[in-house]
Amino acid sequence: MRHRAEQPLPQLEGDELLVYERLIGKDQLHVDDIARSLKWESSRVSTTLIMLEMKGLLRQMPGMWYTAREA
């Protein structure tokens, strides 16, 4: 099996940085907990989570739980 070399995390700012910071160091967080902690609408959090997932920085688990990939 081939292993990919770990790539450095891209620079984050704005909403992506705020959401990613909530996930770093946590086992996993639910989308509602992230929205509540930031005092954001769930649609804003969901959009940001999708962008982070597309960048390969987090993974969605069953039941709308998210976990971050750490550097």
Side-chain angles (χ1 to χ4, degrees):
M1 179 189 302
R2 298 174 105 186
H3 293 282
R4 290 188 314 171
E6 287 295 316
Q7 297 179 6
L9 296 174
Q11 290 287 66
L12 298 176
E13 55 186 40
D15 288 357
E16 290 179 355
L17 179 61
L18 292 171
V19 170
Y20 188 72
E21 287 177 337
R22 290 294 188 283
L23 286 161
I24 279 294
K26 307 282 190 311
D27 183 37
Q28 54 183 302
L29 283 175
H30 192 269
V31 64
D32 292 338
D33 295 327
I34 298 168
R36 197 171 8 264
S37 73
L38 292 168
K39 297 180 169 93
W40 290 359
E41 295 291 324
S42 60
S43 60
R44 182 176 175 187
V45 174
S46 294
T47 299
T48 306
L49 288 167
I50 289 168
M51 295 307 297
L52 290 167
E53 190 173 8
M54 288 173 51
K55 291 180 179 185
L57 298 176
L58 58 82
R59 191 173 82 168
Q60 182 179 350
M61 312 299 280
M64 299 293 290
W65 289 86
Y66 289 85
T67 185
R69 180 194 120 205
E70 296 189 38

